[in-house]
Amino acid sequence: MYRPQFAYPLSPEPCEDQRCTYSFDSTNTPGLSGTLAAAAQTGRIPLSLDLDADFYLRGISTQGPVSFRLTDPETNPLSDGENAAQSTNFELPTEYSNTNGAGIVALESGAGGVFAHGSANFLLYLYNPTASGIDLTTCVVNLHGIKVYRQRCE
Amino acid sequence: MPALIQRMTDYVLGPNQDARLASVAAGATITGIVLSIDNDAPFVVTGRALRCSFLNSGTLNQNPLVGLKTRWTDAARNYRQTGGLGPRGSYVLESLQSAYYGQFGNPKPIVPAVIYPPGSVIELDLKHTGSTTIPNLTFYFRGYELYPEGSMPTPPYPKRMASLTFAYPIFVKALGVSELRQNNIFTVKQDADFVIRGGQSFVPFTTAGRTLAEVAVMWKDANKRPYSNDFIPLDVFFGYQSGTLATMPVSTATLIPPWGTGPGLPGLFYPEIYVPANQQFLFDLYRTDGSGGSNQSEDFTFNLIGGKVFSR
């Protein structure tokens, strides 16, 4: 069960890293509302980050049965089969991100995590792999990581 | 000591290796079950698991493993466990040795590791004190083999590199009820190398007589050299988010379903497998659900998780 993770260095003092969870759901993300029909896809849904600090993404957890693909603010996808059939290129949450609250899923990257400037947008694409509509108001995407307040280093 | 390559290897000891394991009756004692290590490299055991065919009684379960006791040896034929206050070589209940019998990408760690020289054997004895016949009892000895440096391709990390978390969902279309589908090709995309560190798989199910549960895999490198001596069920290699409660022997609601497995703790490839851009990683799939009930060809997905590696 032991699973070593990448060790990320702490920022040198007086820089400050703050643990941060960005939680996106129907209350703050218009794209996560309504019903997604069976076998339907969405366009890109921006997940907007705060303006006050850069963010390093280090983990994810989600709720709900909808499949998805996430890209970083540079539009690098964080998963993709790149198959001809688009519907096969999304991650099933049961195999990728849904832990039922038992921890979070580490997204291991070099250089401290997946970098995003303050105010940048991760992009979310949804796909309904089931045979019935999915109420997107039940879906939640949590991005776990740290905010880096660089101005305190200056 | 010369540098050695560690290559992920799993040794399977099941009915294909010893026919007596195809059906282990309640009360049976079987001794002298032998697993031979290949002659080309020493094998280092770092983990262990066991499994039987799913029993389908409305829900999939591993109930027949209850009451199974085992003992096994190192290369010098010394037993590696003691049962309670008993002598070395006592039989030990498997249910007390590991969570989920080491399944769901969650093998029982063996620390310190046990080294088997080339051509040596693992000898295993068992006593089944349970009340149900065990169908297709199979043991999995997980670890790595050691090879001299230069004996096989081992692409290194670039001296200057960047990495990005990445996962490839692998879609499998219409795998037949008893189909052996060989040499499926996974090609790493051209933009970056990919290092495979873990994976997750589908949730086995049985619904109205339609079952998708017995799907096994054999990984191979680009030279078609396998990483195991036999097929390994996906649910031994990988975990999944839900369903563990129903498939475990104690099917009361006293366990937290995703404990110790699931996407937060994916099944690991150890040592990791580095596949350069545009190169291939192969796998064979073998489904043995059979044609009973309403079984049919099924689509499913499993997930290879790791990181992209970019040269800079």
Side-chain angles (χ1 to χ4, degrees), chain A residues 1-6 57 72 76-83 88-111 113-114, chain B residues 99 106-107 109 163-169 171 189-191 197 199-203 239-242 257-260 263-266 268 301-303 305-308 310:
Chain A
M1 282 179 219
Y2 172 64
R3 181 165 192 252
Q5 308 291 345
F6 283 172
L57 173 68
D72 73 8
N76 298 306
L78 304 189
S79 68
D80 196 349
E82 297 187 20
N83 292 315
T88 66
N89 295 328
F90 295 83
E91 287 289 1
L92 290 165
T94 53
E95 297 181 14
Y96 184 65
S97 58
N98 189 341
T99 63
N100 268 353
I104 62 175
V105 178
L107 299 177
E108 294 171 310
S109 281
V114 180
Chain B
N106 203 19
S163 71
L164 178 70
T165 180
F166 200 77
Y168 280 96
F171 180 71
K189 304 308 175 190
Q190 73 283 356
D191 63 334
R197 299 189 176 113
Q200 290 291 99
S201 186
F202 63 92
V203 181
Y240 46 83
Q241 176 263 330
S242 62
W259 185 80
L265 290 163
L268 298 184
T301 302
F302 64 88
N303 203 18
I305 301 167
K308 282 189 171 182
F310 300 90

Side-chain angles (χ1 to χ4, degrees), chain B residues 59-81:
Chain B
T59 58
L60 300 172
N61 68 74
Q62 295 273 293
N63 288 352
L65 294 178
V66 173
L68 179 66
K69 302 171 98 174
T70 64
R71 61 183 184 183
W72 52 278
T73 69
D74 60 20
R77 302 282 178 106
N78 290 319
Y79 290 107
R80 301 295 299 207
Q81 59 281 114

Side-chain angles (χ1 to χ4, degrees), chain A residues 1, chain B residues 46-49 96-99 101-103 106-111:
Chain A
M1 282 179 219
Chain B
T46 58
R48 206 167 64 81
L96 296 182
Q97 296 192 66
S98 56
Y101 296 107
Q103 300 173 22
N106 203 19
K108 153 87 172 174
I110 297 177
V111 180

